[in-house]
Amino acid sequence: MKVRIEVVAIDCLMVRLFDAIDEANMPWMLAAGQRLRAGFGDALIDLVPSYTTLMVHYDLLRLTPGAARECIVRALKDLQPDAGGMGRCHEIPVWYDRSVGPELALLAQRSGESIEQVIDRHSGREYQVFALGFAPGFAFMGLVDEQLAAPRLDTPRKRVAAGSVGIAERQTAAYPAVSPGGWNLIGRTPSKLFDRQRDGYSLLQPGDRVRFVPVSHDEFISLGGDDTPLEGQE
Amino acid sequence: MSRLLIETSTPLCLLQDAGRFGVRHLGVTQGGALDWVSMSWANWLLGNSLDAAVVEVTLGGLTLIAQQECVLALAGADLGATLDGQPLAPWRSFAMGPDQRLQFTRPLSGARAYLAAPGGFDAPKVLGSCASVLREELGGLDGLGKPLAKGQQLGYSSQSQRVREMPGGLVPDLVANQPLDVVLGAQIGDFSGQSLFDAFNAPWTLDTRADRMGIRLLGPTLSYLGKPMISEGIPLGAIQVPPDGQPIVLLNDRQTIGGYPRLGALTPLALARLAQCLPGAVVRLSPVVQETACQEHRRFLERFAV
């Protein structure tokens, strides 16, 4: 881990800690985020963490570029990985079904396995939230079993239902709201991923751990899920 | 309280403010008025805080009928506004009586006009802002990000504070063909030498593929020689270059993270000017270092302290 600071805009500096996506980055990234928030205090406008970087957007009326740089250096001096662990653990119910997860069969075919095995592989491991982006509450999670890794669709769908669970390469995610999307869809969750009434708004935060739990159609409905097939939503 | 009935509107007539801050780490976009300079002046004319809620009218198509006596202010593009059929020039405050009709017809100069009301238009703050972002269902009159719609009412609750006139000589010239300053940074060192030359010497034409997320620029193909990138935070005004080599200036409603290489980012002042350009307009980019851009920005803001 080596801290690099790059200019990216008039009032933004990019703090680069790593060069590759790795689950081992997270304790460092979380610690760096906390230190930067504390170090900048009210002069921080936004802090945008991603897999290997944290973008610091600060108030340019309160800090010169030089002062902002010094603030970053000071905040990250002798950085230690966050010992408090990896954030919260979540169990997210998923109804895996071809009507709401049209690529289930494709992934099964690609891996030479049955749909049940695909479901087992996807729900059989714990994922880490690497980053939030694309849409409010959209959490990029990984790493997915190599057997399930699949490129994004050649042509993204114009409309993906809220709660849709998908795979792209070795990452998985659930769409918090209706949106366009190019991920391979395998199921749907009734969980509300972004809720403006919730404290912190987003169910998932970087560093959180997630396990997907297969549920039946009945359970999905009783949890408030919408089983409208994808094709019926065009 | 004064109210205005919306008689006609378009998907490009939006309630905006300075944007949504402190939530970008959750994937929530920034939003806010694209031409923040004109928004600020519209508010300044009424003695408002510079970031009070305004209506951003892009190209025209908005018609409002006053329900009571109103005092409003207009800044930014000349969208052929009329008050009961009489031309109404921007950069001024004005009064409207009951049943008077304010109409924005078509872009005569610039692209976006900003309409302000005393204390700002009433709207719920969602995640700290009323900036309308339809795809995120945040902001606007209904809190769900929808554009202004026929039949709705715009209202404000404050008395007019301190109606002012534009200080002499400070009306921005929206058609000035001044180069747009780009703060050099991000992956700029990984573009080819020819691309760097082209970026700052070639004329760039605004594509029709333009919205509040970004504006595509057409010109020479720029080539990035660096490694594929891992997605990272994207600042306002970032000039990203996708594999086709045609840059895109990312605006207020951009996604929060992305993985295309960038040359740097336009300054806020350059963004305000870009926001007033229509598709087909030709712009030039000019390199500037961060420190110089900051000083210029601070100097500019002193204008509002008048």
Side-chain angles (χ1 to χ4, degrees):
Chain A
M1 202 279 303
K2 180 165 159 271
V3 178
R4 285 150 290 173
I5 303 170
E6 303 160 9
V7 174
V8 290
I10 191 171
D11 52 1
C12 295
L13 292 168
M14 191 70 74
V15 179
R16 192 175 300 284
L17 298 187
F18 298 98
D19 296 302
I21 297 175
D22 192 326
E23 295 184 67
N25 295 351
M26 283 319 290
W28 293 94
M29 297 292 295
L30 293 175
Q34 286 163 7
R35 293 263 201 108
L36 290 168
R37 282 189 185 281
F40 277 81
D42 291 347
L44 186 72
I45 293 178
D46 262 297
L47 182 69
V48 190
S50 187
Y51 300 88
T52 57
T53 53
L54 299 110
M55 188 178 81
V56 178
H57 178 188
Y58 60 88
D59 184 348
L60 87 177
L61 298 182
R62 300 180 53 172
L63 293 174
T64 62
R69 253 174 206 277
E70 279 169 29
C71 190
I72 291 170
V73 171
R74 244 191 341 265
L76 299 185
K77 191 165 183 289
D78 302 324
L79 183 67
Q80 293 298 316
D82 187 314
M86 307 298 301
R88 292 175 301 163
C89 290
H90 305 266
E91 291 202 335
I92 296 188
V94 179
W95 176 44
Y96 293 93
D97 190 86
R98 275 196 272 188
S99 65
V100 294
E103 274 75 62
L104 263 182
L106 176 76
L107 295 192
Q109 191 192 349
R110 281 177 63 100
S111 63
E113 296 181 325
S114 68
I115 285 178
E116 288 67 34
Q117 284 169 309
V118 168
I119 296 170
D120 285 348
R121 281 193 193 276
H122 186 256
S123 59
R125 60 164 75 184
E126 195 175 69
Y127 300 104
Q128 188 175 58
V129 176
F130 288 123
L132 265 58
F134 174 66
F138 187 101
F140 293 87
M141 294 175 258
L143 290 168
V144 169
D145 190 318
E146 273 183 74
Q147 288 284 319
L148 298 182
R152 288 171 174 78
L153 305 180
D154 288 340
T155 309
R157 290 187 168 87
K158 288 202 180 100
R159 194 176 190 285
V160 168
S164 293
V165 175
I167 290 176
E169 302 300 347
R170 292 196 62 195
Q171 298 198 63
T172 185
Y175 287 83
V178 172
S179 77
W183 291 39
N184 299 277
L185 304 184
I186 58 174
R188 199 177 290 175
T189 178
S191 297
K192 198 157 185 183
L193 295 147
F194 191 84
D195 184 350
R196 60 174 73 175
Q197 311 301 341
R198 182 192 288 133
D199 191 30
Y201 309 118
S202 178
L203 177 65
L204 306 176
Q205 304 281 344
D208 283 1
R209 295 262 160 184
V210 173
R211 191 175 276 279
F212 294 104
V213 180
V215 295
S216 67
H217 178 259
D218 285 353
E219 289 171 286
F220 175 75
I221 294 297
S222 73
L223 290 167
D226 176 354
D227 65 354
T228 312
L230 206 63
E231 287 77 7
Q233 300 200 336
E234 292 299 322
Chain B
M1 171 179 288
S2 285
R3 298 200 155 272
L4 297 131
L5 176 68
I6 300 171
E7 190 179 52
T8 67
S9 185
T10 79
L12 302 180
C13 297
L14 303 167
L15 206 68
Q16 293 292 353
D17 56 21
R20 201 162 269 115
F21 298 101
V23 284
R24 228 179 304 154
H25 61 290
L26 304 176
V28 178
T29 192
Q30 177 173 340
L34 289 189
D35 176 359
W36 63 275
V37 173
S38 294
M39 172 191 75
S40 298
W41 280 124
N43 279 319
W44 186 91
L45 286 166
L46 296 175
N48 294 345
S49 80
L50 299 182
D51 58 358
V54 296
V55 174
E56 178 179 272
V57 185
T58 301
L59 304 180
L62 182 71
T63 309
L64 303 173
I65 302 173
Q67 307 296 289
Q68 292 90 19
E69 296 281 343
C70 295
V71 177
L72 302 172
L74 184 60
D78 183 349
L79 299 182
T82 59
L83 191 57
D84 275 353
Q86 296 303 307
L88 179 75
W91 310 107
R92 52 170 286 198
S93 61
F94 58 96
M96 280 177 85
D99 299 325
Q100 277 205 298
R101 182 181 270 104
L102 172 64
Q103 199 161 9
F104 293 87
T105 57
R106 63 184 198 284
L108 300 178
S109 168
R112 293 180 166 87
Y114 292 84
L115 185 67
F121 286 105
D122 292 334
K125 289 209 171 184
V126 183
L127 275 57
S129 163
C130 64
S132 309
V133 184
L134 183 59
R135 74 167 197 280
E136 295 186 351
E137 299 181 352
L138 298 174
L141 278 182
D142 61 354
L144 293 172
K146 294 201 186 67
L148 300 181
K150 179 183 172 176
Q152 286 180 323
Q153 297 213 356
L154 275 167
Y156 66 89
S157 314
S158 302
Q159 297 297 314
S160 47
Q161 308 287 317
R162 183 178 156 211
V163 176
R164 298 186 273 199
E165 288 182 14
M166 285 294 290
L170 289 190
V171 172
D173 183 357
L174 300 183
V175 293
N177 199 9
Q178 204 182 334
L180 303 176
D181 283 343
V182 180
V183 174
L184 302 178
Q187 289 73 38
I188 190 160
D190 292 325
F191 284 85
S192 73
Q194 181 66 46
S195 293
L196 294 185
F197 181 85
D198 288 344
F200 298 107
N201 289 282
W204 293 97
T205 304
L206 271 65
D207 195 6
T208 50
R209 286 171 292 177
D211 57 22
R212 290 183 44 90
M213 289 180 78
I215 296 179
R216 206 173 268 266
L217 302 179
L218 302 176
T221 301
L222 304 182
S223 44
Y224 169 70
L225 308 174
K227 287 183 292 193
M229 284 174 59
I230 297 166
S231 283
E232 58 186 44
I234 310 174
L236 178 62
I239 304 182
Q240 74 169 21
V241 182
D244 70 2
Q246 297 294 284
I248 304 172
V249 180
L250 295 170
L251 303 178
N252 297 59
D253 290 3
R254 70 198 180 282
Q255 290 180 9
T256 55
I257 62 175
Y260 289 134
R262 307 181 305 272
L263 295 167
L266 288 187
T267 62
L269 288 168
L271 282 163
R273 289 210 306 279
L274 179 67
Q276 294 295 356
C277 295
L278 293 167
V282 175
V283 297
R284 286 178 183 273
L285 304 177
S286 174
V288 61
V289 295
Q290 191 185 29
E291 184 67 48
T292 311
C294 276
Q295 287 163 4
E296 193 193 342
H297 188 79
R298 289 179 186 199
R299 265 200 309 277
F300 183 85
L301 290 184
E302 287 168 11
R303 297 181 178 198
F304 297 113
V306 175

